[in-house]
Amino acid sequence: MSGKAGAPQKKTGKKGFETEELLRSYFLGAGFFVVRGVKLRHGGDELTDIDLWVYERSATLARRRIIIDIKDNGHPKAAERLFFVKGLADLIQVEAAGVATSDSRRPLRELARKHNVLWIDNGDLQRLKSSHRLTISCRLSNEQLDEKIEAIDEARSSKKLRDAFVTIKSSVADRFGPSCANTAVEGAQFFAKAALQVHPNADSAEVLTRLTYFSAAISAAALDFASGESALRPLQERLNALTDAIRFGDDPKGTAEKLRWTEAAIREFAPNGIGLAEVVKQGFADALRRVPAEGLAEVAAKMANSDRLFNAARDLEEAAYQIECPHFDSLSLDAKTYLGAVLDFVGVERVVFSAIWRPKIATADGGDNVASTVDELMSDENGVAKSSDIGTEDGKLL
């Protein structure tokens, strides 16, 4: 995590990257939702990066975000990092902060405890590094996924995929909740629709499938966090709150108030203001009705009533980073239910999306059994779930 404003310096130390991956594996294994390498942006500038951003849902009302600064080198400057990450946590208003450092000085641990900062020192790191479960991973690292994304971008002489991916990750830093969810759903729409334009089972199909999974994971986690405020309210109130969040973003009441002020200003100052204000008001109302927020909100509200939405977020994140990117039908029920709702919301057919990517399956003669076209994939009745079958039982949401 860099504390300097302006364009951040890139890390080049393999050891630091490996430690970040190790700690990500640890927190994922402990049941958290984790994003590594989050850029904090303001006004188009990248101010700093957050090594690990961690989201915890321990109960119906208990939700917590933690940012962790990681320095595993010969000069960790641990005290400086403690003060920096504590200040950054206050600035972006997350609930907790932590430092992982190669420094072993006991007074620093005591200082961290005094200021409620999670402290992982060199002794802790060495114990984690000795864990076979943590060091042998079936996941892609951040760097490996970045390489896959960059390869597709380079082939297209573009940076669109990388920029969209970074934007979605950065949205968790300082606007986690409805605004972040909307950014991630827009990302899922961008990646899923781009996937429909590529050849099935091509490298680009795999990468776009991964990015769609990741975007849906971020949106699920953000909506789970947003649902905490109304967790004890009746279902209809929770549904209305999430519907407004999807339509309006972070501040539905504030947005509605701005629209009323705009309408009043047009009535007062514009020529033929009364008629024009009515046209504008009706236009806004029609535009909002065209946003099919109710379907996604209903799925999110029902899943958030327990830990299913949080589990969907974790499962989709895992799918995005698995070494062998899983097919849509191989996802967990919670992941398929939520991702299906997102695809419905953004206007992408579930069956068509599921036909874009399918992992290679080794055949008896040592070859690979893969379909070559969308039509061929869709003709496989046993390989593609119908949208009406996903996440339902006797027509009811599971």
Side-chain angles (χ1 to χ4, degrees):
M1 184 183 293
S2 170
K4 294 182 180 180
Q9 296 180 347
K10 282 191 174 182
K11 297 180 184 178
T12 57
K14 181 180 178 182
K15 182 180 179 183
F17 290 149
E18 290 176 346
T19 303
E20 290 179 15
E21 286 293 330
L22 178 77
L23 286 166
R24 175 162 72 167
S25 295
Y26 170 75
F27 282 103
L28 286 171
F32 296 87
F33 180 83
V34 186
V35 184
R36 182 186 154 215
V38 174
K39 308 271 185 202
L40 179 62
R41 293 175 164 179
H42 181 74
D45 294 328
E46 293 182 0
L47 305 181
T48 187
D49 65 287
I50 298 168
D51 296 329
L52 284 188
W53 181 94
V54 180
Y55 173 50
E56 176 187 19
R57 186 195 201 273
S58 57
T60 301
L61 295 176
R63 290 161 171 80
R64 185 170 65 146
R65 296 160 295 173
I66 311 165
I67 58 171
I68 301 177
D69 183 80
I70 302 170
K71 285 292 178 290
D72 186 12
N73 55 40
H75 304 282
K77 299 182 180 178
E80 176 184 317
R81 306 318 300 172
L82 189 159
F83 298 134
F84 171 72
V85 76
K86 179 66 173 176
L88 181 59
D90 291 341
L91 178 68
I92 64 176
Q93 298 181 326
V94 298
E95 290 74 28
V99 173
T101 177
S102 51
D103 198 313
S104 296
R105 288 177 290 173
R106 186 170 183 81
L108 289 176
R109 179 182 288 275
E110 294 171 354
L111 181 64
R113 184 183 297 112
K114 179 180 178 181
H115 292 280
N116 297 316
V117 173
L118 171 67
W119 194 255
I120 303 171
D121 66 11
N122 190 55
D124 301 320
L125 289 179
Q126 296 310 313
R127 283 189 290 275
L128 294 176
K129 290 176 181 179
S130 67
S131 168
H132 182 76
R133 180 178 62 85
L134 293 178
T135 55
I136 304 300
S137 176
C138 60
R139 292 171 55 97
L140 296 177
S141 68
N142 260 28
E143 290 69 37
Q144 289 170 322
L145 181 57
D146 287 345
E147 287 175 3
K148 287 178 175 287
I149 295 170
E150 289 172 9
I152 304 304
D153 271 342
E154 287 180 4
R156 301 177 175 189
S157 300
S158 168
K159 292 184 178 180
K160 288 184 178 179
L161 297 187
R162 174 191 172 278
D163 289 346
F165 181 51
V166 171
T167 296
I168 292 165
K169 286 210 293 185
S170 71
S171 68
V172 306
D174 60 346
R175 48 196 175 93
F176 191 57
S179 179
C180 171
N182 287 337
T183 297
V185 169
E186 289 175 4
Q189 179 181 40
F190 171 70
F191 295 131
K193 290 191 173 182
L196 304 185
Q197 307 303 315
V198 304
H199 196 279
N201 294 312
D203 290 345
S204 53
E206 177 201 342
V207 169
L208 289 164
T209 298
R210 290 183 184 276
L211 293 176
T212 303
Y213 290 166
F214 180 81
S215 302
I218 294 293
S219 70
L223 288 177
D224 179 76
F225 180 76
S227 70
E229 294 183 0
S230 58
L232 297 181
R233 307 304 302 165
L235 174 60
Q236 191 58 49
E237 287 189 30
R238 291 187 282 116
L239 178 58
N240 292 342
L242 284 179
T243 300
D244 286 346
I246 294 169
R247 281 206 171 111
F248 296 105
D250 266 334
D251 186 11
K253 291 183 179 179
T255 302
E257 184 65 23
K258 289 176 183 177
L259 293 178
R260 284 193 291 270
W261 274 103
T262 301
E263 181 186 348
I266 293 173
R267 288 180 183 276
E268 183 70 23
F269 300 110
N272 191 26
I274 295 176
L276 183 58
E278 190 61 33
V279 170
V280 171
K281 178 182 178 181
Q282 189 61 44
F284 273 119
D286 291 342
L288 289 173
R289 279 194 294 269
R290 287 194 295 269
V291 178
E294 289 85 0
L296 179 57
E298 181 179 6
V299 171
K302 290 182 177 180
M303 295 181 72
N305 194 41
S306 61
D307 59 358
R308 290 185 60 203
L309 189 57
F310 180 76
N311 290 339
R314 280 175 42 82
D315 292 344
L316 286 164
E317 189 275 343
E318 180 183 1
Y321 280 93
Q322 279 186 21
I323 290 176
E324 186 72 67
C325 180
H327 183 256
F328 180 88
D329 289 346
S330 299
L331 299 175
S332 69
L333 177 61
D334 287 339
K336 280 193 293 186
T337 299
Y338 181 75
L339 177 57
V342 170
L343 293 174
D344 293 345
F345 178 74
V346 302
V348 174
E349 290 287 339
R350 302 184 192 194
V351 175
V352 176
F353 176 79
S354 71
I356 296 303
W357 169 253
R358 177 172 295 175
K360 295 179 181 180
I361 303 172
T363 60
D365 60 2
D368 292 324
N369 180 19
V370 294
S372 59
T373 66
V374 170
D375 290 338
E376 184 179 343
L377 280 165
M378 291 180 65
S379 68
D380 181 359
E381 295 180 355
N382 296 321
V384 179
K386 298 177 182 178
S387 60
S388 59
D389 295 337
I390 296 173
T392 62
E393 181 175 303
D394 297 329
K396 297 179 181 179
L397 179 70
L398 291 175

PDB file of all heavy atoms in Angstrom, residues 56-80:
ATOM      1  N   GLU A  56     -16.498  -8.866   6.099  1.00  0.00           N
ATOM      2  CA  GLU A  56     -16.946  -9.919   7.006  1.00  0.00           C
ATOM      3  C   GLU A  56     -18.442  -9.771   7.287  1.00  0.00           C
ATOM      4  O   GLU A  56     -18.928  -8.674   7.566  1.00  0.00           O
ATOM      5  CB  GLU A  56     -16.181  -9.827   8.333  1.00  0.00           C
ATOM      6  CG  GLU A  56     -16.630 -10.819   9.379  1.00  0.00           C
ATOM      7  CD  GLU A  56     -15.982 -10.597  10.740  1.00  0.00           C
ATOM      8  OE1 GLU A  56     -15.465  -9.471  10.969  1.00  0.00           O
ATOM      9  OE2 GLU A  56     -15.992 -11.517  11.558  1.00  0.00           O
ATOM     10  N   ARG A  57     -19.146 -10.902   7.198  1.00  0.00           N
ATOM     11  CA  ARG A  57     -20.560 -10.939   7.590  1.00  0.00           C
ATOM     12  C   ARG A  57     -20.703 -12.063   8.600  1.00  0.00           C
ATOM     13  O   ARG A  57     -20.807 -13.225   8.262  1.00  0.00           O
ATOM     14  CB  ARG A  57     -21.455 -11.219   6.390  1.00  0.00           C
ATOM     15  CG  ARG A  57     -22.950 -11.122   6.688  1.00  0.00           C
ATOM     16  CD  ARG A  57     -23.753 -11.775   5.571  1.00  0.00           C
ATOM     17  NE  ARG A  57     -25.127 -11.342   5.500  1.00  0.00           N
ATOM     18  CZ  ARG A  57     -26.143 -11.866   6.183  1.00  0.00           C
ATOM     19  NH1 ARG A  57     -25.900 -12.865   7.033  1.00  0.00           N
ATOM     20  NH2 ARG A  57     -27.372 -11.423   6.027  1.00  0.00           N
ATOM     21  N   SER A  58     -20.710 -11.703   9.860  1.00  0.00           N
ATOM     22  CA  SER A  58     -20.696 -12.721  10.903  1.00  0.00           C
ATOM     23  C   SER A  58     -22.078 -13.027  11.461  1.00  0.00           C
ATOM     24  O   SER A  58     -22.266 -14.020  12.148  1.00  0.00           O
ATOM     25  CB  SER A  58     -19.778 -12.289  12.053  1.00  0.00           C
ATOM     26  OG  SER A  58     -20.176 -11.036  12.573  1.00  0.00           O
ATOM     27  N   ALA A  59     -23.068 -12.168  11.164  1.00  0.00           N
ATOM     28  CA  ALA A  59     -24.432 -12.387  11.649  1.00  0.00           C
ATOM     29  C   ALA A  59     -25.375 -11.511  10.831  1.00  0.00           C
ATOM     30  O   ALA A  59     -24.938 -10.730   9.983  1.00  0.00           O
ATOM     31  CB  ALA A  59     -24.541 -12.058  13.138  1.00  0.00           C
ATOM     32  N   THR A  60     -26.676 -11.639  11.097  1.00  0.00           N
ATOM     33  CA  THR A  60     -27.670 -10.897  10.322  1.00  0.00           C
ATOM     34  C   THR A  60     -27.397  -9.397  10.332  1.00  0.00           C
ATOM     35  O   THR A  60     -27.518  -8.718   9.314  1.00  0.00           O
ATOM     36  CB  THR A  60     -29.079 -11.161  10.881  1.00  0.00           C
ATOM     37  OG1 THR A  60     -29.348 -12.569  10.805  1.00  0.00           O
ATOM     38  CG2 THR A  60     -30.128 -10.413  10.084  1.00  0.00           C
ATOM     39  N   LEU A  61     -26.997  -8.862  11.486  1.00  0.00           N
ATOM     40  CA  LEU A  61     -26.769  -7.421  11.605  1.00  0.00           C
ATOM     41  C   LEU A  61     -25.290  -7.046  11.628  1.00  0.00           C
ATOM     42  O   LEU A  61     -24.971  -5.857  11.626  1.00  0.00           O
ATOM     43  CB  LEU A  61     -27.440  -6.897  12.876  1.00  0.00           C
ATOM     44  CG  LEU A  61     -28.964  -6.990  12.929  1.00  0.00           C
ATOM     45  CD1 LEU A  61     -29.474  -6.518  14.279  1.00  0.00           C
ATOM     46  CD2 LEU A  61     -29.589  -6.183  11.804  1.00  0.00           C
ATOM     47  N   ALA A  62     -24.414  -8.038  11.714  1.00  0.00           N
ATOM     48  CA  ALA A  62     -22.983  -7.761  11.893  1.00  0.00           C
ATOM     49  C   ALA A  62     -22.245  -7.811  10.561  1.00  0.00           C
ATOM     50  O   ALA A  62     -22.109  -8.868   9.948  1.00  0.00           O
ATOM     51  CB  ALA A  62     -22.384  -8.771  12.871  1.00  0.00           C
ATOM     52  N   ARG A  63     -21.772  -6.650  10.121  1.00  0.00           N
ATOM     53  CA  ARG A  63     -20.996  -6.539   8.898  1.00  0.00           C
ATOM     54  C   ARG A  63     -19.808  -5.630   9.166  1.00  0.00           C
ATOM     55  O   ARG A  63     -19.938  -4.618   9.837  1.00  0.00           O
ATOM     56  CB  ARG A  63     -21.854  -5.986   7.756  1.00  0.00           C
ATOM     57  CG  ARG A  63     -22.914  -6.969   7.268  1.00  0.00           C
ATOM     58  CD  ARG A  63     -24.006  -6.247   6.510  1.00  0.00           C
ATOM     59  NE  ARG A  63     -24.923  -7.146   5.846  1.00  0.00           N
ATOM     60  CZ  ARG A  63     -25.919  -7.789   6.426  1.00  0.00           C
ATOM     61  NH1 ARG A  63     -26.111  -7.638   7.737  1.00  0.00           N
ATOM     62  NH2 ARG A  63     -26.715  -8.578   5.739  1.00  0.00           N
ATOM     63  N   ARG A  64     -18.659  -5.998   8.610  1.00  0.00           N
ATOM     64  CA  ARG A  64     -17.449  -5.230   8.900  1.00  0.00           C
ATOM     65  C   ARG A  64     -16.519  -5.251   7.700  1.00  0.00           C
ATOM     66  O   ARG A  64     -16.345  -6.278   7.051  1.00  0.00           O
ATOM     67  CB  ARG A  64     -16.743  -5.821  10.125  1.00  0.00           C
ATOM     68  CG  ARG A  64     -15.531  -5.019  10.581  1.00  0.00           C
ATOM     69  CD  ARG A  64     -15.026  -5.505  11.921  1.00  0.00           C
ATOM     70  NE  ARG A  64     -14.516  -6.868  11.864  1.00  0.00           N
ATOM     71  CZ  ARG A  64     -13.496  -7.328  12.591  1.00  0.00           C
ATOM     72  NH1 ARG A  64     -12.899  -6.522  13.453  1.00  0.00           N
ATOM     73  NH2 ARG A  64     -13.106  -8.571  12.492  1.00  0.00           N
ATOM     74  N   ARG A  65     -15.914  -4.085   7.421  1.00  0.00           N
ATOM     75  CA  ARG A  65     -14.903  -3.973   6.369  1.00  0.00           C
ATOM     76  C   ARG A  65     -13.550  -3.712   7.023  1.00  0.00           C
ATOM     77  O   ARG A  65     -13.454  -2.903   7.955  1.00  0.00           O
ATOM     78  CB  ARG A  65     -15.252  -2.829   5.426  1.00  0.00           C
ATOM     79  CG  ARG A  65     -16.540  -3.026   4.646  1.00  0.00           C
ATOM     80  CD  ARG A  65     -17.085  -1.711   4.125  1.00  0.00           C
ATOM     81  NE  ARG A  65     -17.476  -0.829   5.229  1.00  0.00           N
ATOM     82  CZ  ARG A  65     -17.859   0.428   5.072  1.00  0.00           C
ATOM     83  NH1 ARG A  65     -17.894   0.977   3.878  1.00  0.00           N
ATOM     84  NH2 ARG A  65     -18.198   1.157   6.123  1.00  0.00           N
ATOM     85  N   ILE A  66     -12.525  -4.372   6.497  1.00  0.00           N
ATOM     86  CA  ILE A  66     -11.175  -4.252   7.053  1.00  0.00           C
ATOM     87  C   ILE A  66     -10.211  -4.002   5.897  1.00  0.00           C
ATOM     88  O   ILE A  66     -10.280  -4.683   4.871  1.00  0.00           O
ATOM     89  CB  ILE A  66     -10.754  -5.547   7.784  1.00  0.00           C
ATOM     90  CG1 ILE A  66     -11.837  -6.012   8.757  1.00  0.00           C
ATOM     91  CG2 ILE A  66      -9.426  -5.351   8.509  1.00  0.00           C
ATOM     92  CD1 ILE A  66     -11.649  -7.445   9.228  1.00  0.00           C
ATOM     93  N   ILE A  67      -9.335  -3.027   6.054  1.00  0.00           N
ATOM     94  CA  ILE A  67      -8.267  -2.842   5.071  1.00  0.00           C
ATOM     95  C   ILE A  67      -6.940  -3.230   5.720  1.00  0.00           C
ATOM     96  O   ILE A  67      -6.693  -2.931   6.884  1.00  0.00           O
ATOM     97  CB  ILE A  67      -8.210  -1.399   4.531  1.00  0.00           C
ATOM     98  CG1 ILE A  67      -8.000  -0.377   5.655  1.00  0.00           C
ATOM     99  CG2 ILE A  67      -9.465  -1.078   3.744  1.00  0.00           C
ATOM    100  CD1 ILE A  67      -7.729   1.035   5.141  1.00  0.00           C
ATOM    101  N   ILE A  68      -6.108  -3.924   4.953  1.00  0.00           N
ATOM    102  CA  ILE A  68      -4.851  -4.455   5.492  1.00  0.00           C
ATOM    103  C   ILE A  68      -3.688  -4.014   4.621  1.00  0.00           C
ATOM    104  O   ILE A  68      -3.690  -4.223   3.400  1.00  0.00           O
ATOM    105  CB  ILE A  68      -4.911  -5.987   5.597  1.00  0.00           C
ATOM    106  CG1 ILE A  68      -6.069  -6.399   6.514  1.00  0.00           C
ATOM    107  CG2 ILE A  68      -3.591  -6.547   6.111  1.00  0.00           C
ATOM    108  CD1 ILE A  68      -6.264  -7.892   6.628  1.00  0.00           C
ATOM    109  N   ASP A  69      -2.708  -3.415   5.256  1.00  0.00           N
ATOM    110  CA  ASP A  69      -1.470  -2.989   4.602  1.00  0.00           C
ATOM    111  C   ASP A  69      -0.422  -4.083   4.807  1.00  0.00           C
ATOM    112  O   ASP A  69      -0.249  -4.578   5.920  1.00  0.00           O
ATOM    113  CB  ASP A  69      -0.991  -1.666   5.209  1.00  0.00           C
ATOM    114  CG  ASP A  69       0.251  -1.151   4.526  1.00  0.00           C
ATOM    115  OD1 ASP A  69       0.119  -0.557   3.445  1.00  0.00           O
ATOM    116  OD2 ASP A  69       1.361  -1.342   5.072  1.00  0.00           O
ATOM    117  N   ILE A  70       0.285  -4.461   3.737  1.00  0.00           N
ATOM    118  CA  ILE A  70       1.227  -5.585   3.806  1.00  0.00           C
ATOM    119  C   ILE A  70       2.612  -5.130   3.359  1.00  0.00           C
ATOM    120  O   ILE A  70       2.776  -4.606   2.250  1.00  0.00           O
ATOM    121  CB  ILE A  70       0.746  -6.748   2.919  1.00  0.00           C
ATOM    122  CG1 ILE A  70      -0.654  -7.200   3.362  1.00  0.00           C
ATOM    123  CG2 ILE A  70       1.729  -7.916   2.970  1.00  0.00           C
ATOM    124  CD1 ILE A  70      -1.318  -8.170   2.406  1.00  0.00           C
ATOM    125  N   LYS A  71       3.593  -5.324   4.236  1.00  0.00           N
ATOM    126  CA  LYS A  71       4.980  -5.017   3.907  1.00  0.00           C
ATOM    127  C   LYS A  71       5.860  -6.154   4.408  1.00  0.00           C
ATOM    128  O   LYS A  71       6.097  -6.290   5.605  1.00  0.00           O
ATOM    129  CB  LYS A  71       5.419  -3.683   4.548  1.00  0.00           C
ATOM    130  CG  LYS A  71       4.861  -2.457   3.858  1.00  0.00           C
ATOM    131  CD  LYS A  71       5.461  -2.309   2.481  1.00  0.00           C
ATOM    132  CE  LYS A  71       4.871  -1.093   1.758  1.00  0.00           C
ATOM    133  NZ  LYS A  71       3.465  -1.303   1.375  1.00  0.00           N
ATOM    134  N   ASP A  72       6.317  -6.973   3.469  1.00  0.00           N
ATOM    135  CA  ASP A  72       7.163  -8.109   3.804  1.00  0.00           C
ATOM    136  C   ASP A  72       8.500  -7.926   3.101  1.00  0.00           C
ATOM    137  O   ASP A  72       8.754  -8.480   2.029  1.00  0.00           O
ATOM    138  CB  ASP A  72       6.484  -9.415   3.365  1.00  0.00           C
ATOM    139  CG  ASP A  72       7.248 -10.648   3.813  1.00  0.00           C
ATOM    140  OD1 ASP A  72       8.160 -10.505   4.644  1.00  0.00           O
ATOM    141  OD2 ASP A  72       6.925 -11.756   3.323  1.00  0.00           O
ATOM    142  N   ASN A  73       9.359  -7.088   3.713  1.00  0.00           N
ATOM    143  CA  ASN A  73      10.683  -6.835   3.136  1.00  0.00           C
ATOM    144  C   ASN A  73      11.664  -6.477   4.239  1.00  0.00           C
ATOM    145  O   ASN A  73      11.328  -6.522   5.427  1.00  0.00           O
ATOM    146  CB  ASN A  73      10.601  -5.709   2.075  1.00  0.00           C
ATOM    147  CG  ASN A  73       9.974  -4.437   2.633  1.00  0.00           C
ATOM    148  OD1 ASN A  73      10.234  -4.040   3.763  1.00  0.00           O
ATOM    149  ND2 ASN A  73       9.138  -3.790   1.826  1.00  0.00           N
ATOM    150  N   GLY A  74      12.870  -6.100   3.858  1.00  0.00           N
ATOM    151  CA  GLY A  74      13.909  -5.822   4.841  1.00  0.00           C
ATOM    152  C   GLY A  74      13.735  -4.510   5.577  1.00  0.00           C
ATOM    153  O   GLY A  74      14.328  -4.307   6.647  1.00  0.00           O
ATOM    154  N   HIS A  75      12.939  -3.613   5.031  1.00  0.00           N
ATOM    155  CA  HIS A  75      12.713  -2.299   5.654  1.00  0.00           C
ATOM    156  C   HIS A  75      11.213  -1.997   5.652  1.00  0.00           C
ATOM    157  O   HIS A  75      10.736  -1.146   4.898  1.00  0.00           O
ATOM    158  CB  HIS A  75      13.480  -1.210   4.897  1.00  0.00           C
ATOM    159  CG  HIS A  75      14.953  -1.475   4.791  1.00  0.00           C
ATOM    160  ND1 HIS A  75      15.818  -1.260   5.845  1.00  0.00           N
ATOM    161  CD2 HIS A  75      15.693  -1.967   3.769  1.00  0.00           C
ATOM    162  CE1 HIS A  75      17.047  -1.595   5.466  1.00  0.00           C
ATOM    163  NE2 HIS A  75      17.000  -2.034   4.220  1.00  0.00           N
ATOM    164  N   PRO A  76      10.451  -2.661   6.508  1.00  0.00           N
ATOM    165  CA  PRO A  76       8.988  -2.545   6.451  1.00  0.00           C
ATOM    166  C   PRO A  76       8.421  -1.235   6.975  1.00  0.00           C
ATOM    167  O   PRO A  76       7.267  -0.914   6.706  1.00  0.00           O
ATOM    168  CB  PRO A  76       8.523  -3.711   7.326  1.00  0.00           C
ATOM    169  CG  PRO A  76       9.646  -3.935   8.287  1.00  0.00           C
ATOM    170  CD  PRO A  76      10.897  -3.640   7.518  1.00  0.00           C
ATOM    171  N   LYS A  77       9.199  -0.473   7.767  1.00  0.00           N
ATOM    172  CA  LYS A  77       8.700   0.787   8.337  1.00  0.00           C
ATOM    173  C   LYS A  77       7.334   0.570   8.986  1.00  0.00           C
ATOM    174  O   LYS A  77       6.346   1.254   8.675  1.00  0.00           O
ATOM    175  CB  LYS A  77       8.617   1.861   7.258  1.00  0.00           C
ATOM    176  CG  LYS A  77       9.958   2.195   6.627  1.00  0.00           C
ATOM    177  CD  LYS A  77       9.844   3.294   5.584  1.00  0.00           C
ATOM    178  CE  LYS A  77      11.198   3.616   4.971  1.00  0.00           C
ATOM    179  NZ  LYS A  77      11.097   4.662   3.925  1.00  0.00           N
ATOM    180  N   ALA A  78       7.297  -0.385   9.900  1.00  0.00           N
ATOM    181  CA  ALA A  78       6.026  -0.858  10.439  1.00  0.00           C
ATOM    182  C   ALA A  78       5.239   0.223  11.165  1.00  0.00           C
ATOM    183  O   ALA A  78       4.012   0.309  11.035  1.00  0.00           O
ATOM    184  CB  ALA A  78       6.282  -2.051  11.364  1.00  0.00           C
ATOM    185  N   ALA A  79       5.919   1.048  11.966  1.00  0.00           N
ATOM    186  CA  ALA A  79       5.206   2.093  12.702  1.00  0.00           C
ATOM    187  C   ALA A  79       4.551   3.083  11.737  1.00  0.00           C
ATOM    188  O   ALA A  79       3.401   3.498  11.930  1.00  0.00           O
ATOM    189  CB  ALA A  79       6.160   2.819  13.643  1.00  0.00           C
ATOM    190  N   GLU A  80       5.282   3.438  10.689  1.00  0.00           N
ATOM    191  CA  GLU A  80       4.740   4.358   9.689  1.00  0.00           C
ATOM    192  C   GLU A  80       3.508   3.755   9.019  1.00  0.00           C
ATOM    193  O   GLU A  80       2.498   4.443   8.804  1.00  0.00           O
ATOM    194  CB  GLU A  80       5.810   4.656   8.643  1.00  0.00           C
ATOM    195  CG  GLU A  80       5.338   5.528   7.494  1.00  0.00           C
ATOM    196  CD  GLU A  80       6.410   5.717   6.453  1.00  0.00           C
ATOM    197  OE1 GLU A  80       7.584   5.946   6.830  1.00  0.00           O
ATOM    198  OE2 GLU A  80       6.082   5.626   5.252  1.00  0.00           O
TER     199      GLU A  80
END
